[in-house]
Amino acid sequence: MFGFIRPVKPELKVREVERFQSVYCGLCHEIRRRYGQLQTGFLSYDMTFLALILQAVDTPSMEVEHLRCIASPIRRKNVAVSSDMLAYTADISVLLTYHKIEDTLQDESGAKRMAAVSLERLLRADYRKAQVCLPKLDAVIRQCLDELLILEQQQVPSLDRTADTFARILQAIVPEGQPEPVRRVMEQMFYHTGRWLYLIDACADLEDDFRTGSYNPVRLRFELETPDLSLVKEQMERTLERSLLDIHNACQLLPLCQDEGLIGNIIDLGLPLITRQVLDGTYHVNGGHETHGSL
């Protein structure tokens, strides 16, 4: 995924910071156990958010264990204990990583494409393993990305059509077995999360896409001649805030067993903050941190 979904740390309680970090580390360990060390390098806070939501709906509590890892070889860290939802999220992370690399192969050339070719070969076996675990989800991801590729090739100047295609990927992530009312709410929440992610990524990539000539729906929709987001800031604020409101409303309807404060911080503070930073041009990848997993 993109790494845009993160909490606002100064507004968290100490136990909430520790909780977020333990889920991140638990997911990292789960990915390593299932797929090896290389895949952990692609873990994002977006996946941690997904794991938090799935756990909060599925599990009344989550135990932790104290483990070392490559990132912390000396000091043991609190790590969320392996669970079905962490394993499910690990599989999703591997699927999305592989499809993102395939997308890079379509879009890039030169050194970036060569790097993507090498990664695709290295991660192909992991992808096939995850594909066996989640065949229906993989089929939806591939179908939606194929549709998105067609829209990009046609240079479709629509925010909604392209964002909808990506949003349906996240909508399909909701695991089977949820009660129907809960499933509908989660589908709406993840759909609008996907819509927001696609559009905020398009805004963040506007300058690079201008330079490379890559497809960007924001540029085409507003017929921009320069990569200046200030020219469309109000319009993009409105469409992004619409998705943020739908995410908030859906979350209010979820029967969360735990982590309400942490999840509320991410949705009501973190996502609006990232929206403002991207539209103001002050956004920094990973919050300006360089360390893997730094909050």
Side-chain angles (χ1 to χ4, degrees), residues 196-211:
W196 178 84
L197 274 171
Y198 182 83
L199 293 177
I200 203 69
D201 183 63
C203 290
D205 286 348
L206 184 61
E207 186 173 344
D208 287 343
D209 290 340
F210 253 89
R211 186 176 62 255

Side-chain angles (χ1 to χ4, degrees), residues 103-114:
D103 185 59
T104 301
L105 288 174
Q106 297 279 353
D107 295 341
E108 299 293 347
S109 60
K112 287 186 177 180
R113 191 177 192 283
M114 290 300 295

Side-chain angles (χ1 to χ4, degrees), residues 24 27-44 47 89-99 101 119-130 292:
Y24 179 93
L27 184 53
C28 187
H29 278 269
E30 189 69 36
I31 291 172
R32 181 177 57 79
R33 278 192 291 265
R34 295 173 70 81
Y35 296 101
Q37 189 66 44
L38 180 60
Q39 285 284 353
T40 64
F42 301 99
L43 176 59
S44 72
M47 288 291 100
T89 309
D91 294 340
I92 293 171
S93 178
V94 171
L95 286 181
L96 291 175
T97 294
Y98 186 82
H99 284 293
I101 291 170
L119 273 177
E120 190 272 338
R121 291 172 180 169
L122 285 171
L123 301 179
R124 190 180 300 160
D126 294 340
Y127 161 69
R128 288 174 177 166
K129 180 179 176 182
H292 179 55

Side-chain angles (χ1 to χ4, degrees), residues 196 199-200 236-244 275 279:
W196 178 84
L199 293 177
I200 203 69
M236 288 309 302
E237 276 181 336
R238 285 196 294 269
T239 192
L240 289 165
E241 286 173 355
R242 187 172 74 225
S243 282
L244 293 180
T275 301
L279 295 181

